[in-house]
Amino acid sequence: MEAASLFFSSRNQVNMVNLRLQKRLAASILGCGRGKVWLDPNESNEISMANSRQNIRKLIKDGFVIRKPQAIHTRFRARAKFAAKRLGRHMGTGKRRGTRDARMPSKGLWIKRQRVLRRLLKKYRDAKKIDKHLYRELYMKAKGNVFKNKKNLMEYIFKAKSEKLKEKQLNEQAEARRQKNRSVRERRAAKAAVLLDEQNKEVVVVADEKPASKKTKGDKVDKTPAVQAAQEATGKGSPKTASPKAADTKAAAPAKTATKQTGKAAKK
């Protein structure tokens, strides 16, 4: 038994080949560590004969020397925990390190919000949804922390546009009313002018139809005896006949004076 064990041990010592040089050269050529290099155990004699880089490259090409594949490092558990964190798990007060402003700076939040609002304003201005005056007004309001988010800004824009449209419609209606009233006044003035012209024409026609010998109200009558005699001689100025009423009044006048005198005498 002892002899057999000595035989096998000597045989193993003879068959074991030192491939440390070949492994080092292969690792240098493959660009990895010596632990990643696999040497074919069935071709150990041929590999042991390779003592240069050129021979090692030939062995790599033949497939006797191979670089071991990358060991699998699963991220299943890491992905599961990250998904849970996105739902708010594992994020309590005991898991937090650092202040609130250190974990999420307020300045960073402000910059993000301003960029979102300004991007929306620029988009609306380029699309002609708002004019440059409203753009400047909303830009300064956003800078003044008036809008909390994009939704508030869109609601404000919609409200401002509706109010502007309503004001425009009211102005147009007022202008239409003014124009209507102006046209009515013009028609009335034209009608009044036409009526005035017609009245003036009628007055002129009546004045032309009156006789020229008729005396006007302001003419003075010469009542001298010579003139009256000349008028009577020519027949133009014939004396007017007195009316019966006038004759009665003239006859009754002396009777009235007589009765008054008798009444006074009786009183005395």
Side-chain angles (χ1 to χ4, degrees), residues 252-268:
K256 287 181 180 180
T257 53
T259 54
K260 286 181 181 180
Q261 289 177 0
T262 54
K264 286 180 181 179
K267 286 180 182 180
K268 290 180 179 180

mmCIF file of all heavy atoms in Angstrom, residues 252-268:
data_model
loop_
_atom_site.group_PDB
_atom_site.id
_atom_site.type_symbol
_atom_site.label_atom_id
_atom_site.label_comp_id
_atom_site.label_asym_id
_atom_site.label_seq_id
_atom_site.Cartn_x
_atom_site.Cartn_y
_atom_site.Cartn_z
ATOM 1 N N ALA A 252 -126.129 159.518 -28.427
ATOM 2 C CA ALA A 252 -126.384 159.225 -27.017
ATOM 3 C C ALA A 252 -125.467 159.984 -26.112
ATOM 4 O O ALA A 252 -125.763 160.180 -24.930
ATOM 5 C CB ALA A 252 -126.241 157.731 -26.765
ATOM 6 N N ALA A 253 -124.364 160.488 -26.593
ATOM 7 C CA ALA A 253 -123.396 161.189 -25.742
ATOM 8 C C ALA A 253 -123.986 162.485 -25.194
ATOM 9 O O ALA A 253 -123.886 162.753 -23.985
ATOM 10 C CB ALA A 253 -122.112 161.441 -26.530
ATOM 11 N N PRO A 254 -124.671 163.398 -25.958
ATOM 12 C CA PRO A 254 -125.223 164.611 -25.369
ATOM 13 C C PRO A 254 -126.321 164.329 -24.391
ATOM 14 O O PRO A 254 -126.456 165.003 -23.370
ATOM 15 C CB PRO A 254 -125.758 165.369 -26.585
ATOM 16 C CG PRO A 254 -125.075 164.774 -27.754
ATOM 17 C CD PRO A 254 -124.745 163.383 -27.417
ATOM 18 N N ALA A 255 -127.111 163.269 -24.592
ATOM 19 C CA ALA A 255 -128.188 162.935 -23.667
ATOM 20 C C ALA A 255 -127.628 162.560 -22.324
ATOM 21 O O ALA A 255 -128.136 162.927 -21.265
ATOM 22 C CB ALA A 255 -129.015 161.814 -24.248
ATOM 23 N N LYS A 256 -126.519 161.817 -22.314
ATOM 24 C CA LYS A 256 -125.875 161.388 -21.066
ATOM 25 C C LYS A 256 -125.352 162.598 -20.303
ATOM 26 O O LYS A 256 -125.500 162.710 -19.087
ATOM 27 C CB LYS A 256 -124.737 160.414 -21.357
ATOM 28 C CG LYS A 256 -125.236 159.040 -21.773
ATOM 29 C CD LYS A 256 -124.053 158.124 -22.010
ATOM 30 C CE LYS A 256 -124.528 156.734 -22.429
ATOM 31 N NZ LYS A 256 -123.404 155.830 -22.660
ATOM 32 N N THR A 257 -124.784 163.523 -21.007
ATOM 33 C CA THR A 257 -124.259 164.724 -20.340
ATOM 34 C C THR A 257 -125.410 165.546 -19.750
ATOM 35 O O THR A 257 -125.308 166.088 -18.654
ATOM 36 C CB THR A 257 -123.477 165.587 -21.345
ATOM 37 O OG1 THR A 257 -124.309 165.843 -22.483
ATOM 38 C CG2 THR A 257 -122.223 164.864 -21.798
ATOM 39 N N ALA A 258 -126.559 165.596 -20.413
ATOM 40 C CA ALA A 258 -127.714 166.345 -19.903
ATOM 41 C C ALA A 258 -128.258 165.712 -18.636
ATOM 42 O O ALA A 258 -128.597 166.397 -17.657
ATOM 43 C CB ALA A 258 -128.798 166.446 -20.976
ATOM 44 N N THR A 259 -128.375 164.440 -18.578
ATOM 45 C CA THR A 259 -128.887 163.741 -17.393
ATOM 46 C C THR A 259 -127.947 163.957 -16.242
ATOM 47 O O THR A 259 -128.344 164.084 -15.069
ATOM 48 C CB THR A 259 -129.051 162.277 -17.697
ATOM 49 O OG1 THR A 259 -127.830 161.742 -18.205
ATOM 50 C CG2 THR A 259 -130.158 162.024 -18.712
ATOM 51 N N LYS A 260 -126.653 163.957 -16.462
ATOM 52 C CA LYS A 260 -125.679 164.183 -15.377
ATOM 53 C C LYS A 260 -125.858 165.579 -14.787
ATOM 54 O O LYS A 260 -125.817 165.795 -13.588
ATOM 55 C CB LYS A 260 -124.252 163.993 -15.919
ATOM 56 C CG LYS A 260 -123.882 162.545 -16.158
ATOM 57 C CD LYS A 260 -122.473 162.447 -16.668
ATOM 58 C CE LYS A 260 -122.091 161.012 -16.926
ATOM 59 N NZ LYS A 260 -120.706 160.905 -17.430
ATOM 60 N N GLN A 261 -126.053 166.571 -15.668
ATOM 61 C CA GLN A 261 -126.206 167.954 -15.173
ATOM 62 C C GLN A 261 -127.477 168.105 -14.344
ATOM 63 O O GLN A 261 -127.494 168.729 -13.287
ATOM 64 C CB GLN A 261 -126.236 168.915 -16.365
ATOM 65 C CG GLN A 261 -124.867 169.034 -17.032
ATOM 66 C CD GLN A 261 -124.921 169.935 -18.254
ATOM 67 O OE1 GLN A 261 -126.033 170.475 -18.586
ATOM 68 N NE2 GLN A 261 -123.785 170.160 -18.903
ATOM 69 N N THR A 262 -128.595 167.476 -14.757
ATOM 70 C CA THR A 262 -129.843 167.553 -13.991
ATOM 71 C C THR A 262 -129.712 166.847 -12.655
ATOM 72 O O THR A 262 -130.229 167.293 -11.610
ATOM 73 C CB THR A 262 -130.984 166.899 -14.794
ATOM 74 O OG1 THR A 262 -130.588 165.561 -15.153
ATOM 75 C CG2 THR A 262 -131.330 167.703 -16.063
ATOM 76 N N GLY A 263 -129.005 165.813 -12.611
ATOM 77 C CA GLY A 263 -128.772 165.094 -11.341
ATOM 78 C C GLY A 263 -127.985 165.905 -10.383
ATOM 79 O O GLY A 263 -128.313 165.975 -9.192
ATOM 80 N N LYS A 264 -127.035 166.660 -10.809
ATOM 81 C CA LYS A 264 -126.233 167.498 -9.943
ATOM 82 C C LYS A 264 -127.093 168.642 -9.396
ATOM 83 O O LYS A 264 -126.979 169.006 -8.225
ATOM 84 C CB LYS A 264 -125.039 168.055 -10.752
ATOM 85 C CG LYS A 264 -123.994 167.022 -11.016
ATOM 86 C CD LYS A 264 -122.836 167.635 -11.816
ATOM 87 C CE LYS A 264 -121.777 166.626 -12.129
ATOM 88 N NZ LYS A 264 -120.678 167.204 -12.906
ATOM 89 N N ALA A 265 -127.964 169.219 -10.250
ATOM 90 C CA ALA A 265 -128.799 170.325 -9.802
ATOM 91 C C ALA A 265 -129.778 169.860 -8.753
ATOM 92 O O ALA A 265 -130.044 170.558 -7.765
ATOM 93 C CB ALA A 265 -129.547 170.899 -11.009
ATOM 94 N N ALA A 266 -130.370 168.735 -8.871
ATOM 95 C CA ALA A 266 -131.308 168.220 -7.899
ATOM 96 C C ALA A 266 -130.626 168.007 -6.559
ATOM 97 O O ALA A 266 -131.184 168.260 -5.483
ATOM 98 C CB ALA A 266 -131.927 166.925 -8.397
ATOM 99 N N LYS A 267 -129.421 167.541 -6.538
ATOM 100 C CA LYS A 267 -128.667 167.349 -5.289
ATOM 101 C C LYS A 267 -128.419 168.637 -4.611
ATOM 102 O O LYS A 267 -128.493 168.755 -3.389
ATOM 103 C CB LYS A 267 -127.342 166.653 -5.600
ATOM 104 C CG LYS A 267 -127.511 165.195 -5.924
ATOM 105 C CD LYS A 267 -126.151 164.562 -6.219
ATOM 106 C CE LYS A 267 -126.309 163.120 -6.584
ATOM 107 N NZ LYS A 267 -125.016 162.509 -6.859
ATOM 108 N N LYS A 268 -128.139 169.683 -5.365
ATOM 109 C CA LYS A 268 -127.895 170.973 -4.735
ATOM 110 C C LYS A 268 -129.148 171.478 -4.140
ATOM 111 O O LYS A 268 -129.158 172.060 -3.066
ATOM 112 C CB LYS A 268 -127.346 171.993 -5.800
ATOM 113 C CG LYS A 268 -125.926 171.645 -6.248
ATOM 114 C CD LYS A 268 -125.459 172.641 -7.270
ATOM 115 C CE LYS A 268 -124.050 172.361 -7.718
ATOM 116 N NZ LYS A 268 -123.542 173.303 -8.726
#
